[in-house]
Amino acid sequence: MNKPSREEAEKRIVALTESINYHNHLYYQEDRSIISDFEFDQLLEELIALENHYPELKKADSPSQRVGGSITKNFETATHAVRMLSLGNTYSKEELMAFDERVAKGLGHRDYEYFCELKFDGVAISMVYQQGELIRAVTRGDGYKGDVVTENVKTIRTVPLSIQAKEGLPPYLEVRGEIFLPKSGFEKINQVRKSKGENLLANPRNAASGTLKMQDSAVVAKRKLNCYVYQLIADDLSLSKQDEAIEKLRQWGFNVSPTYRNCQNLDEVLAYIDEWRDKRQDLPVETDGVVLKVNDYRQQEELGFTAKIPRWAIAYKYQAESAAATLLSITYQVGRTGAITPVANLSPVSLAGTTVKRASLHNANEIERLDLHEGDTVLVEKGGEIIPKITQVVSERRNRNSKPIAYIDTCPECGTLLERKEGEAKHFCPNEAGCPPQVLGRIEHFVSKRAMDIDSLGTERLRALVQQGYVKDPADLYSLPEKRDDLLGLEISDDQYTKNSDGYLYVSLKKCLYALTHQVTLKEIEEFLQFHETAEQSEKIALFLDTHQKTGKKTNESERWLSRLLEMIQKQTLDHVDDFVPVAYVLAVLLPEAGASVEDLLKLSKNKSSLHDLIIHGGLEVPEQAKDQINKLKGSTFQEGVIKNMMEGIQHSLSQPFPKVLFALGIRNIGENTAILLARHFKNIDELENATDDTLLQINGVGETLVHSIRSFFALEKNKSIIHRLKEKGLHFELFEEEIKQESDKLAGKRILASGKLNHFKRDEIIDFIESHGGTYSKSVSKNLDFIIEGEDMGPSKKEKAVNLGIPLITEEEFLKMCSTK
Ligand code: IVH
């Protein structure tokens, strides 16, 4: 273009600006266009060229500002001036009625109205304007602070870069709203991607959120995001209601969804909800419910907030329909009691705003009832519960050759043949003594507060110790100090692992990609996977490789690793579990020199629980140069401090008295109180073991069932050996002198309960006290009680029951007097 005169340029710039703004308005507000994309781009290019000739003519709010072009390497974070809260959710009319009652009660009258609006399913954004100019746009983040995405938000054509009406405009204001990708734009993008053989974007919301976090704003501009605003925050505004604020925002040029309505009462709200249930499908934006807010600001203030959500607003969510997914494989979970629960791994589908990848199948009957076949297309539904369920198989979509699901017959954790008792729905692993989750259950009881009280051995740490074979029974805990060196480097977290139905170990794709690259952070990988959430596994890897090749962080090594992994995944014959890959594949990629074939590595990874486990127990050599990558693949590991802390806890537990030790053994039907009773009676474990049935039955409080449990426990050599080893380690299997000594027999034969807060005793102390005076403590109110010690704030229902049963209630003082030996 020849350089036009300044005057010509000025005129043309005004005309072009007007025309472009008009076409933008048609496109975004009216969802139509009268010129082609190409023609539109030409207008824009002409404008940009003119502005380049005369930079001083470029206005801050010129449409050329929205084409993007700046690259944001890392998003800075900014703190929100006012915390960005979320809303309470409801799914039913009853809950809405309860909300309305709370509002009426909070205000003390019914003189209020609701402002109703649809709940847009996009990404929340906060936009800050200073002197009318957009200076910052920040994502919701954790509510306190979010990412600064100003450059990307500027490409959204319905977001004013500058508010024209300067009069009465507060110098500083914040507008909040929801950024979304219109459904039509979403479909267009996917059509193009499909024709290019690229993977499809999951849903408009994910696409919007991914787009907003793109580093190149020019690419963002092409995605044509849109934004509805729903909240205005500013001081000194002469506004008193939400609907006035919305109208003001509209006048200032913001995009406001025209769907809002004031409702005078709950019936009108319910009518609004019903009206939009189907009609919302015709809106340009995905919506998932209705938001209702008390319209009057003063009333909002009066109602205030709870810790996280306002008391003056709530979201009603439309119930999710069901969605179709493909059954990829089934994983079998083993519980603490040995019960097996099958879980379906599904191709990811979005349902009620979340992505569903797994569904519970409960037991073998459920699989039979559904007549589930390999690779079936199934319908998943998400009810009130968190775990979705499969409601039916879409049999028309079944592949003719597909086989019915064959239920496993061995335990995926320990390989033992499973059992199923007559009339029981669940299968069980009978290997109580050796199956890791079952062992874990018992050890957890052993170390629990009321037993050996080793609080440095939390579930995660114990699980690591049990799964990796360091602890098989309680006595092993006391040998841990000798194995200190081996423990260093042991993996703790296990949510990065899973096993398939044959017991082969899988590791999360996230960790795998992390290990196969250099200088890429876990967070970056997480974001990448989130963005491509619904792509197939091999597509994810292919895309990752592709993206990785374009960054400066790739190395020949990482490229080779990723390509090799991709090859293996494409040929994968093992079960597919979304977001997990067989550990053996990753090792084959990272350790080609280890001399082990994929088949060898697979064998090594069977029934193992972690990489550490596999390497130590599989005798795998990890060459020095691969150590870094292998460490990246591992979960977090035991460090010196943790180990020291565990050892101290274990050492400390040696001083627990006999009744606690007896309780810790986990003999069926021996609860805390029975343990005390038996310990006091027999004084040591040998006496208990050798007691005849008759001796046992003579004790007040011991019945046939308990006798049977005691007998079965001591009948097992294994248990006797555990006790023997624990004794050797110094645990107390007999009462201390002072415990044997009875204070008095003033309470002999009395059954007593204490309820409410006592002044002289803590919970456990009162029990000891009663017993040291020859009485027995009882846990519940029953007619067998001799009396109840009534503390402060005794529960009214307990009290009523006691009175009805005619049990005497005495005060703590009276009780103390009763026991006094003076
Ligand atoms: S009002 C105090 N109105 O829903 C909270 N929020 O769960 C005020 N959202 O983070 C929020 N449409 O991103 C409001 N019409 C609407 C909305 C809406 C979508 C989102 C918003 C918020 C989330 C709360």
Side-chain angles (χ1 to χ4, degrees):
M1 163 164 66
N2 290 330
K3 187 168 176 171
S5 74
R6 195 192 141 93
E7 207 175 312
E8 278 168 356
E10 198 166 0
K11 265 202 213 134
R12 185 71 186 140
I13 284 177
V14 170
L16 282 168
T17 302
E18 218 166 83
S19 164
I20 292 170
N21 282 342
Y22 173 66
H23 293 300
N24 270 335
H25 169 85
L26 287 185
Y27 185 93
Y28 287 98
Q29 254 94 0
E30 297 185 17
D31 212 14
R32 66 195 177 101
S33 32
I34 49 174
I35 59 173
S36 69
D37 282 1
F38 176 73
E39 285 164 320
F40 181 87
D41 286 345
Q42 279 194 321
L43 297 177
L44 205 56
E45 269 171 37
E46 189 185 344
L47 175 67
I48 293 170
L50 287 171
E51 288 177 344
N52 284 344
H53 283 308
Y54 296 100
E56 71 276 18
L57 293 179
K58 181 150 101 185
K59 295 228 181 72
D61 60 347
S62 162
S64 66
Q65 295 302 291
R66 303 188 188 271
V67 296
S70 60
I71 308 277
T72 314
K73 271 256 155 9
N74 282 311
F75 293 106
E76 278 177 35
T77 52
T79 306
H80 298 295
V82 178
R83 197 174 147 199
M84 279 184 97
L85 296 161
S86 52
L87 290 169
N89 282 334
T90 71
Y91 286 89
S92 72
K93 190 175 149 184
E94 288 69 34
E95 284 173 310
L96 270 190
M97 280 158 64
F99 168 77
D100 187 46
E101 284 311 314
R102 288 197 297 276
V103 171
K105 200 164 161 219
L107 294 175
H109 56 79
R110 288 205 173 267
D111 189 13
Y112 53 88
E113 60 180 2
Y114 286 117
F115 174 93
C116 292
E117 192 174 20
L118 282 151
K119 187 168 192 304
F120 315 114
D121 197 9
V123 187
I125 193 80
S126 143
M127 295 169 288
V128 177
Y129 288 81
Q130 211 165 21
Q131 313 297 354
E133 307 292 326
L134 173 63
I135 58 158
R136 193 167 59 244
V138 186
T139 61
R140 177 167 185 268
D142 60 4
Y144 293 100
K145 50 183 199 286
D147 288 330
V148 178
V149 289
T150 320
E151 291 313 312
N152 289 347
V153 169
K154 278 187 180 168
T155 69
I156 303 173
R157 293 160 202 236
T158 53
V159 170
L161 300 174
S162 131
I163 301 171
Q164 294 309 316
K166 294 279 189 278
E167 212 163 301
L169 198 67
Y172 187 91
L173 61 91
E174 189 181 335
V175 179
R176 290 183 177 173
E178 198 83 356
I179 290 182
F180 61 94
L181 186 64
K183 291 179 202 164
S184 56
F186 171 75
E187 274 153 25
K188 256 189 230 156
I189 293 172
N190 265 353
Q191 266 168 20
V192 174
R193 293 179 81 96
K194 196 168 180 188
S195 69
K196 287 193 191 156
E198 293 173 348
N199 81 305
L200 302 187
L201 302 179
N203 55 49
R205 185 172 56 90
N206 281 7
S209 123
T211 306
L212 205 59
K213 297 279 184 62
M214 282 180 166
Q215 290 175 336
D216 184 349
S217 59
V219 179
V220 179
K222 295 210 179 79
R223 283 272 174 99
K224 301 201 173 155
L225 294 172
N226 202 339
C227 177
Y228 278 145
V229 299
Y230 52 65
Q231 197 178 8
L232 170 60
I233 303 174
D235 292 335
D236 317 324
L237 266 173
S238 54
L239 296 174
S240 57
K241 289 181 174 150
Q242 166 73 8
D243 60 343
E244 291 170 8
I246 289 292
E247 179 53 25
K248 185 83 179 163
L249 285 166
R250 199 187 60 75
Q251 284 167 10
W252 283 344
F254 286 91
N255 194 15
V256 174
S257 165
T259 50
Y260 69 88
R261 181 187 303 161
N262 283 349
C263 293
Q264 302 310 316
N265 51 46
L266 199 65
D267 281 341
E268 287 187 29
V269 172
L270 294 172
Y272 178 88
I273 289 175
D274 272 343
E275 181 182 330
W276 284 100
R277 194 179 298 277
D278 293 329
K279 231 165 74 177
R280 71 196 169 103
Q281 312 296 355
D282 304 327
L283 293 172
V285 53
E286 287 280 351
T287 54
D288 58 353
V290 166
V291 179
L292 45 147
K293 306 170 194 174
V294 170
N295 195 24
D296 189 291
Y297 282 163
R298 247 207 318 246
Q299 292 179 338
Q300 287 187 2
E301 214 167 289
E302 225 179 305
L303 289 163
F305 298 85
T306 68
K308 275 203 199 120
I309 53 175
R311 288 205 182 87
W312 44 265
I314 199 163
Y316 172 89
K317 296 274 202 86
Y318 291 114
Q319 273 296 355
E321 321 83 82
S322 60
T326 313
L327 175 68
L328 298 174
S329 61
I330 293 179
T331 303
Y332 296 83
Q333 292 173 347
V334 187
R336 307 252 152 110
T337 56
I340 309 288
T341 307
V343 175
N345 297 303
L346 306 167
S347 62
V349 283
S350 62
L351 201 62
T354 55
T355 304
V356 171
K357 297 173 178 179
R358 279 172 249 291
S360 171
L361 285 166
H362 308 294
N363 53 48
N365 295 347
E366 179 72 0
I367 295 179
E368 231 168 81
R369 185 185 71 78
L370 290 164
D371 184 28
L372 211 53
H373 281 47
E374 287 172 4
D376 266 349
T377 302
V378 294
L379 293 186
V380 267
E381 228 172 65
K382 208 163 158 189
E385 64 277 5
I386 301 164
I387 306 167
K389 58 170 189 259
I390 296 182
T391 51
Q392 71 177 89
V393 169
V394 187
S395 40
E396 311 87 72
R397 306 249 303 255
R398 177 172 291 162
N399 193 325
R400 259 192 301 137
N401 318 322
S402 84
K403 291 194 228 99
I405 295 293
Y407 207 79
I408 46 164
D409 45 27
T410 56
C411 173
E413 292 286 345
C414 66
T416 307
L417 208 58
L418 297 180
E419 286 177 2
R420 193 185 200 186
K421 296 201 187 96
E422 269 289 310
E424 279 193 25
K426 291 227 176 218
H427 284 70
F428 276 86
C429 167
N431 181 15
E432 263 177 58
C435 181
Q438 302 189 60
V439 174
L440 178 63
R442 281 200 303 281
I443 309 277
E444 271 187 312
H445 166 76
F446 185 83
V447 304
S448 66
K449 183 121 206 84
R450 286 162 31 218
M452 300 308 283
D453 191 19
I454 315 182
D455 67 356
S456 54
L457 284 177
T459 303
E460 288 310 315
R461 291 179 185 177
L462 274 184
R463 182 182 287 135
L465 291 168
V466 170
Q467 284 191 332
Q468 301 178 56
Y470 288 91
V471 174
K472 294 197 182 71
D473 60 49
D476 287 339
L477 290 175
Y478 297 90
S479 304
L480 285 176
E482 298 144 36
K483 299 184 183 148
R484 246 188 125 116
D485 291 346
D486 281 2
L487 297 183
L488 206 64
L490 196 75
E491 287 178 66
I492 302 174
S493 119
D494 90 325
D495 59 356
Q496 64 161 331
Y497 294 114
T498 190
K499 280 181 199 154
N500 78 350
S501 51
D502 298 322
Y504 291 115
L505 185 67
Y506 284 48
V507 64
S508 72
L509 178 62
K510 178 174 92 181
K511 277 284 194 169
C512 159
L513 296 179
Y514 181 55
L516 299 187
T517 47
H518 303 284
Q519 294 165 37
V520 185
T521 65
L522 264 177
K523 186 155 181 260
E524 284 168 331
I525 293 177
E526 247 164 43
E527 280 172 3
F528 175 89
L529 291 175
Q530 171 78 28
F531 187 60
H532 297 285
E533 196 171 36
T534 54
E536 255 184 61
Q537 184 102 292
S538 53
E539 269 183 311
K540 280 184 195 162
I541 302 171
L543 279 162
F544 184 81
L545 176 61
D546 194 46
T547 316
H548 190 60
Q549 277 166 339
K550 292 185 187 127
T551 68
K553 292 174 182 169
K554 66 140 202 191
T555 57
N556 291 340
E557 219 177 19
S558 59
E559 236 180 305
R560 200 178 60 238
W561 287 334
L562 288 167
S563 316
R564 178 84 187 96
L565 177 77
L566 180 58
E567 248 170 68
M568 299 180 76
I569 297 288
Q570 280 164 341
K571 288 193 213 131
Q572 178 168 339
T573 47
L574 232 51
D575 285 342
H576 284 268
V577 183
D578 200 61
D579 292 333
F580 287 90
V581 291
V583 156
Y585 290 7
V586 192
L587 291 178
V589 168
L590 280 173
L591 308 170
E593 317 81 12
S597 67
V598 184
E599 285 71 36
D600 293 343
L601 289 166
L602 269 173
K603 261 187 227 141
L604 278 185
S605 74
K606 190 162 172 161
N607 298 334
K608 296 287 191 318
S609 306
S610 72
L611 220 81
H612 185 82
D613 186 16
L614 190 160
I615 292 169
I616 295 246
H617 297 111
L620 194 66
E621 281 292 324
V622 178
E624 199 52 43
Q625 72 271 19
K627 287 224 161 99
D628 279 353
Q629 306 311 121
I630 294 288
N631 282 339
K632 285 174 85 176
L633 200 57
K634 283 186 177 180
S636 54
T637 52
F638 281 0
Q639 300 299 329
E640 276 295 350
V642 167
I643 296 177
K644 180 161 172 277
N645 182 247
M646 290 188 330
M647 298 307 150
E648 283 170 2
I650 291 170
Q651 181 64 29
H652 188 73
S653 73
L654 288 175
S655 62
Q656 287 294 82
F658 177 40
K660 299 271 182 195
V661 178
L662 183 58
F663 171 60
L665 290 178
I667 302 173
R668 237 174 235 164
N669 301 309
I670 300 198
E672 238 176 320
N673 291 326
T674 312
I676 296 172
L677 183 74
L678 294 172
R680 284 192 176 282
H681 192 94
F682 293 104
K683 317 282 189 277
N684 64 51
I685 191 101
D686 299 329
E687 292 290 322
L688 172 65
E689 182 184 348
N690 298 326
T692 63
D693 288 6
D694 275 348
T695 328
L696 280 165
L697 285 168
Q698 269 163 23
I699 305 171
N700 207 351
V702 178
E704 295 282 352
T705 331
L706 181 56
V707 174
H708 180 73
S709 303
I710 296 173
R711 288 279 162 263
S712 335
F713 181 83
F714 286 107
L716 287 179
E717 260 328 298
K718 179 146 182 41
N719 290 334
K720 287 208 251 191
S721 126
I722 290 173
I723 292 176
H724 178 71
R725 284 158 58 218
L726 287 172
K727 270 186 188 167
E728 274 185 351
K729 293 291 177 188
L731 272 74
H732 295 295
F733 280 94
E734 54 187 22
L735 279 189
F736 298 137
E737 276 299 312
E738 62 271 25
E739 286 176 311
I740 297 175
K741 208 175 106 234
Q742 285 263 324
E743 290 289 336
S744 80
D745 53 6
K746 298 212 164 202
L747 300 175
K750 297 261 187 292
R751 290 179 163 267
I752 305 159
L753 172 127
S755 183
K757 197 175 156 301
L758 301 179
N759 293 319
H760 293 85
F761 305 97
K762 290 208 191 96
R763 245 324 76 206
D764 290 351
E765 286 170 359
I766 183 74
I767 301 174
D768 289 346
F769 186 85
I770 291 173
E771 280 160 359
S772 70
H773 288 277
T776 353
Y777 187 80
S778 187
K779 264 196 201 149
S780 56
V781 181
S782 76
K783 61 177 187 330
N784 297 330
L785 282 178
D786 288 286
F787 60 84
I788 292 177
I789 310 165
E790 181 184 356
E792 271 170 43
D793 301 328
M794 174 177 179
S797 65
K798 237 187 203 167
K799 190 160 175 174
E800 192 186 321
K801 193 169 171 196
V803 172
N804 285 342
L805 290 171
I807 301 165
L809 295 167
I810 67 168
T811 65
E812 197 176 344
E813 303 308 324
E814 285 169 325
F815 170 72
L816 285 171
K817 218 178 270 168
M818 183 190 277
C819 304
S820 162
T821 43
K822 280 173 214 126

